Amino acid sequence: VKTHEGENSAHWFDFWATRQRQSITVYRDASQLPAGFLMVLHLHLATREDIEADPATRAAWNYALRYAPIREGEALILFRFWMAKDSYQGVSASQSIIFLNVVQHYLSTPNLAWSFFPCADPQFWLPALHYMDINRAPEADFKTDRSFASFAHDWRSLAIPAWLELLGQRELKTDLRPEDLESIKPEPLVVLSESEFKSCVRDALRDFGRLASLQINPLLHSRLVKEQSQGNLVETLKDLLNQAAELLKHNPKDEKYYRTVLRTYLEPAATQELAAELLDLPFSTYRRHLTTGIEKITQSLWQLELYGTKDKA
């Protein structure tokens, strides 16, 4: 690192090597001598103080915060250092292995939200990275002894299955030009914070019988709905709400919450007062059951949004 990037970068290598030593992979030549290495930092496991100290990690973290913060249980990785011993970040056998390992990290990191890939020579690598839908993120650029341009991907916006499909489509287009890349990009997902997600679920339950209102609910463009949909997003959302509600029936303690949600939203009475009467509940008890039922449904759907739907391929 000192040879190719300078004293300052070498300091940050030592800094992270003492904190995330498991992040370093060394590549060896035929004589088993070190020929290159990759350092992949898991920033979701780092302290905020450590992230703020390093200009590279600070820039990546702040970029994610600005555009789509990671949520509880999600991962953010930064390929902080990558290089061959002799050719640095140029084309080489080590570079090829590094890129293969980068893809392996994309595929194997649980609940990956963001990945950041900095380059010292962005113009050289830009076509290849854009082809892979790893796009420029100028606000995540940083400088130590030399300047680095950052490339990033939000894996919640274009998840692994859709990303692999996109690459497959691009492989088949033998006449693909750089200007075509954006035109064939799939529609991105909407990445909602937990509070935004909960608000959207409440709105969807309230609007369960109102098609026009459901058609503008942001949940239609969430991972939750897109992964399950076979085409009709509104019907998929309604099915997911029904399924989450019906889970309450499996626990005798929660069945009362299911009945309250059913009479209020899924098969609603004319008014909440009438719903309470049909359920033979004091109105205050009815309201308490409704609030708890909504919370349980929302939490069930939020877990699916974060970790994927149960019957996902």
Side-chain angles (χ1 to χ4, degrees), residues 7 11 14 17 30-31 33 92 104 109 113 117 136 140 145 193-194 199 203 245 254 278 282 291 299 310:
E7 293 273 4
H11 162 76
D14 289 340
S31 301
L33 297 174
S92 68
Q104 287 177 335
T109 301
F117 191 84
R136 277 286 285 123
D145 295 291
S193 68
E194 185 173 6
S199 177
D203 289 345
D254 290 341
L278 291 171
T291 298
Q299 189 56 37
K310 293 180 179 179

Side-chain angles (χ1 to χ4, degrees), residues 196-299:
E196 291 170 337
F197 184 89
K198 290 181 176 179
S199 177
C200 289
V201 171
R202 288 193 295 269
D203 289 345
L205 285 169
R206 182 198 62 208
D207 298 330
F208 192 82
R210 303 185 184 101
L211 178 61
S213 297
L214 284 179
Q215 286 177 332
I216 61 173
N217 191 299
L219 288 176
L220 296 186
H221 306 286
S222 67
R223 171 188 180 183
L224 172 74
V225 172
K226 285 296 188 78
E227 283 189 346
Q228 284 290 288
S229 177
Q230 299 299 316
N232 191 321
L233 298 177
V234 170
E235 287 303 315
T236 301
L237 175 57
K238 293 179 71 172
D239 287 345
L240 287 165
L241 291 168
N242 264 317
Q243 292 167 21
E246 289 179 359
L247 286 176
L248 299 175
K249 293 195 298 185
H250 299 323
N251 186 339
K253 293 182 179 179
D254 290 341
E255 190 172 0
K256 57 191 175 187
Y257 306 131
Y258 168 75
R259 293 198 302 269
T260 305
V261 170
L262 180 70
R263 283 300 186 185
T264 306
Y265 298 125
L266 307 182
E267 297 177 11
T271 65
Q272 290 193 355
E273 288 78 9
L274 180 57
E277 183 178 335
L278 291 171
L279 293 165
D280 194 24
L281 293 173
F283 193 70
S284 60
T285 303
Y286 159 82
R287 293 293 297 170
R288 188 168 63 253
H289 288 186
L290 181 61
T291 298
T292 302
I294 293 172
E295 289 176 351
K296 288 180 175 290
I297 289 170
T298 300
Q299 189 56 37

Side-chain angles (χ1 to χ4, degrees), residues 117-172:
F117 191 84
C119 293
D121 186 0
Q123 290 306 117
F124 180 80
W125 289 113
L126 186 145
L129 292 171
H130 275 191
Y131 184 86
M132 296 174 64
D133 200 54
I134 312 300
N135 296 305
R136 277 286 285 123
E139 292 164 42
D141 293 352
F142 63 95
K143 184 175 182 180
T144 50
D145 295 291
R146 62 189 302 172
S147 296
F148 293 87
S150 289
F151 293 77
H153 186 95
D154 183 346
W155 295 96
R156 301 159 301 181
S157 181
L158 187 68
I160 290 295
W163 180 69
L164 292 173
E165 182 178 352
L166 174 65
L167 295 185
Q169 292 171 356
R170 291 180 174 178
E171 284 294 316
L172 294 174

